[in-house]
């Protein structure tokens, strides 16, 4: 049986393992530079921006929903942002992702937040089907942009 | 001459006018439910998640870069998120957007943040050219997802 609960102090390394599984699924392991210590610090420091719900099955963490506080200018209000949703491959198709999204929806409503936003890769057909089954609205053909490293330093000059 | 500076208390209504111009450009005016009072409250409350840089020209606000604090699990660190970049149509092509992005890059570096993220619409060719000229990396074919209203309430049940 799967239980969904908040991440506990000391589980930063376990959460990192789930994040790594997601990075592999996205073929993006090279960009994963977080460490267990960073997670331990960032998730449990005072006034943290972020939090995680985890799915536990038989004493093992098999999935997570990592959120951070966010803001929508169009709404003029704070909203929830789902940074990562990850379920270990061998535990997929058993309702773990849905249980995590349900717990996240409850947390959003408890906090008085009107919506949850996230980004999905366009190739993720299983993800699309799953999110649509939850009632999500999906806007296609957007681009995820970033500037960092030397380009950021150059722009700042 | 254009000056870039932080938004000041009392300018919530002026910022809303710029946000409205952006919403019109995106054909998305129906989703703009923010009010000047909401902006005034949210941008200047203690420990606010958000802030805005504005471009002023001849005493008028002609552009803005609205940011909020965000977090990257892959990096394990806080990052900057650019929620809106907007320049009034008649002031485009004069370097206002670049000046705003430069000021945002400086602010990110001052805060010790390693990167700025944002979402761009796939149809925005002028935006792509502009952001690429700044050194941004653009990942195509992502989807922007959200769940809100009745669907959020249903999911939480």
């Amino acid at each position: 049986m799967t239980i969904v609960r908040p991440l506990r102090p000391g589980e930063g390394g376990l959460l990192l393992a789930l994040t790594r599984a997601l990075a592999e699924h996205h073929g993006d392991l090279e960009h994963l530079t977080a460490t267990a210590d960073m997670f331990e610090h960032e998730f449990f420091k005072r006034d943290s921006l972020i939090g995680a719900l985890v799915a536990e099955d038989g004493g093992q963490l098999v999935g997570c929903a990592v959120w951070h506080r966010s803001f929508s200018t169009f709404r003029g209000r704070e909203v929830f942002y789902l940074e990562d949703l990850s379920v270990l491959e061998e535990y997929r198709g058993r309702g773990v992702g849905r249980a995590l999204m349900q717990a996240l929806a409850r947390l959003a409503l408890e906090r008085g937040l009107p919506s949850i936003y996230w980004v999905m890769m366009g190739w993720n057909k299983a993800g699309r089907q799953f999110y649509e089954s939850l009632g999500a609205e999906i806007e296609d053909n957007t681009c995820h942009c970033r500037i960092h490293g030397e380009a950021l330093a150059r722009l700042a000059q």
Side-chain angles (χ1 to χ4, degrees), chain A:
Chain A
M1 193 186 130
T2 307
I3 297 165
V4 173
R5 59 165 175 83
L7 185 75
R8 293 181 192 136
E11 293 182 330
L14 296 173
L15 184 65
L16 185 62
L18 290 170
T19 305
R20 183 168 293 127
L22 183 68
E24 277 175 355
H25 185 238
H26 283 68
D28 202 18
L29 210 47
E30 61 181 321
H31 289 117
L32 181 66
T33 53
T35 66
D37 284 347
M38 288 164 100
F39 274 15
E40 204 61 42
H41 174 69
E42 293 289 341
F43 279 81
F44 298 105
K45 72 183 182 185
R46 235 185 107 184
D47 297 326
S48 180
L49 290 176
I50 55 170
L53 296 165
V54 293
E56 186 183 327
D57 190 302
Q60 195 197 349
L61 296 196
V62 302
C64 65
V66 177
W67 53 266
H68 65 70
R69 296 174 62 194
S70 184
F71 188 85
S72 161
T73 39
F74 278 31
R75 286 181 173 274
R77 292 177 62 179
E78 185 171 331
V79 295
F80 242 7
Y81 186 86
L82 173 64
E83 171 80 8
D84 293 333
L85 180 74
S86 187
V87 176
L88 291 183
E89 202 151 356
E90 56 272 37
Y91 287 86
R92 287 189 197 151
R94 301 187 192 181
V96 177
R98 195 182 202 291
L100 284 162
M101 288 299 288
Q102 182 185 45
L104 190 68
R106 288 178 179 167
L107 192 59
L109 293 179
E110 273 170 37
R111 290 170 162 250
L113 304 180
S115 50
I116 305 171
Y117 287 81
W118 65 98
V119 168
M120 184 184 70
M121 297 299 138
W123 49 258
N124 191 354
K125 285 184 185 155
R128 176 183 296 267
Q129 204 171 18
F130 168 65
Y131 290 128
E132 282 180 342
S133 78
L134 304 182
E137 293 168 14
I138 299 178
E139 185 171 15
D140 286 297
N141 195 22
T142 68
C143 304
H144 202 53
C145 310
R146 74 172 156 206
I147 188 160
H148 64 134
E150 280 178 32
L152 182 65
R154 235 184 350 257
L155 176 58
Q157 272 164 12

